[in-house]
């Protein structure tokens, strides 16, 4: 079967990364979590006290940021300048700053360039907000994932509990709503559904049901591209 690019976009905490990871494993493809890249940039800005309203500070900082991924104990793990930052970038203080940072065009340009390089050999599943619209507008399969906001907040709450972190449900819901608002209304590459994306609302679906639908789609596009 021909290798393809699978772009998964959608609102915060819709289960994009859970689906993308499982799909990549199943297909033996590479998985790239682009949200983790914006989170790593945000962490760097926080730790280095970068005033991200100042273009010159942002440009200088970007030149010093190197983001990579490694598979550690079967987990996709994010590295920032050689440091494992996987758990730091998931914390609420990063979640609260990441959407404003992701509105900065210089940041987006730098991330999109790296993401396009990562996908040049295809065989990749990438999730984010602008993958099907900006990063890979020609991706063979584009999925736009949605889920009910309450369901999304409950899932995120369980993820925090799993890590022994107690974050109030209302704080999570407010953060998700605020991020969706900023992500969808920013001037540069706002979160929108690509015209040719297939929409999947997973509010009432089990991971297996969801995977079955998506594997069907993969087969359809692979069959179509093999016959071209
Ligand atoms: O997927 P996530 O929640 O980890 O993403 C964190 C933030 O990064 C999200 O609020 C918006 C931003 N983001 C983006 O602007 N473009 C992407 N391709 C991925 C994430």
């Amino acid at each position: 079967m021909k290798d393809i690019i699978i772009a998964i976009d959608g609102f915060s905490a819709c289960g994009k990364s859970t689906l993308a990871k499982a799909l990549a494993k199943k297909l033996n493809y590479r998985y790239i979590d682009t949200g983790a890249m914006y989170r790593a940039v945000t962490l760097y800005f926080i730790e280095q006290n970068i005033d991200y309203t100042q273009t010159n500070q942002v440009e200088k900082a970007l030149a010093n940021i190197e983001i990579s991924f490694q598979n550690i104990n079967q987990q996709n793990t994010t590295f920032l300048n050689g440091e494992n930052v996987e758990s730091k970038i998931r914390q609420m203080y990063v979640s609260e700053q990441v959407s404003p940072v992701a509105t900065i065009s210089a940041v987006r340009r730098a991330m999109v360039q790296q993401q396009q390089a990562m996908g040049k050999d295809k065989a990749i599943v990438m999730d984010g907000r602008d993958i099907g619209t900006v990063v890979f507008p020609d991706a063979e399969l584009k999925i736009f994932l949605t889920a009910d906001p309450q369901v999304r907040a409950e899932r995120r709450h369980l993820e925090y509990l799993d890590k022994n972190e107690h974050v109030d449900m209302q704080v999570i819901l407010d953060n998700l709503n605020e991020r969706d608002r900023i992500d969808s209304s920013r001037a540069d590459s706002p979160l929108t559904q690509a015209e040719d994306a297939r929409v999947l609302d997973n509010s009432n679906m089990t991971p297996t049901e969801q995977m079955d639908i998506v594997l069907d789609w993969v087969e359809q596009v692979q069959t179509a591209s093999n016959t071209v």
Side-chain angles (χ1 to χ4, degrees), residues 34-35 38-39 98-99 102 108 128-131 179 183 186:
T34 64
Y38 289 94
R39 287 171 179 272
V98 64
S99 284
R108 302 206 69 82
R129 305 292 188 289
D130 60 343
I131 312 305
R179 284 205 284 142
D183 296 344
R186 67 182 175 224

Side-chain angles (χ1 to χ4, degrees), residues 47-61:
E47 289 188 339
Q48 303 296 321
N49 284 315
I50 307 296
D51 175 357
Y52 53 77
T53 62
Q54 301 299 312
T55 313
N56 62 334
Q57 285 198 36
V58 168
E59 305 254 344
K60 250 193 226 157

Side-chain angles (χ1 to χ4, degrees), residues 23-117:
L23 189 58
K25 197 167 170 201
K26 196 115 196 163
L27 300 172
N28 204 14
Y29 275 19
R30 221 177 142 201
Y31 162 59
I32 300 294
D33 173 356
T34 64
M37 298 171 74
Y38 289 94
R39 287 171 179 272
V41 170
T42 305
L43 179 68
Y44 184 90
F45 286 1
I46 295 170
E47 289 188 339
Q48 303 296 321
N49 284 315
I50 307 296
D51 175 357
Y52 53 77
T53 62
Q54 301 299 312
T55 313
N56 62 334
Q57 285 198 36
V58 168
E59 305 254 344
K60 250 193 226 157
L62 285 170
N64 292 320
I65 293 178
E66 211 242 291
I67 300 165
S68 58
F69 296 103
Q70 280 180 40
N71 200 321
I72 296 184
N73 299 331
Q74 317 257 36
Q75 300 290 331
N76 188 58
T77 307
T78 313
F79 282 76
L80 168 64
N81 293 336
E83 181 195 345
N84 179 343
V85 292
E86 186 57 36
S87 74
K88 272 193 199 170
I89 60 167
R90 308 288 165 196
Q91 291 184 15
M92 194 46 93
Y93 73 96
V94 174
S95 298
E96 280 169 356
Q97 299 288 320
V98 64
S99 284
V101 168
T103 64
I104 303 169
S105 290
V107 171
R108 302 206 69 82
R109 264 197 308 278
M111 295 303 108
V112 169
Q113 207 175 32
Q114 288 186 32
Q115 291 153 11
Q116 288 172 335

Side-chain angles (χ1 to χ4, degrees), residues 8-20 31 39 127-129 143-157 159 172 176-177 179-180 183-184 191 199-207 210 214:
I8 303 180
D9 290 302
F11 297 104
S12 298
C14 273
K16 297 186 296 294
S17 63
T18 308
L19 170 65
Y31 162 59
R39 287 171 179 272
D127 77 3
R129 305 292 188 289
I143 300 170
F144 192 85
L145 213 54
T146 70
D148 179 78
Q150 192 67 32
V151 171
R152 291 155 50 197
E154 277 162 19
R155 287 180 187 157
R156 199 38 62 98
H157 191 231
E159 276 171 27
I172 296 175
L176 294 183
N177 287 334
R179 284 205 284 142
D180 288 347
D183 296 344
S184 310
L191 165 64
V199 182
L200 187 63
D201 182 336
N202 67 13
S203 309
N204 299 307
M205 270 182 203
T206 65
Q210 177 176 247
V214 172

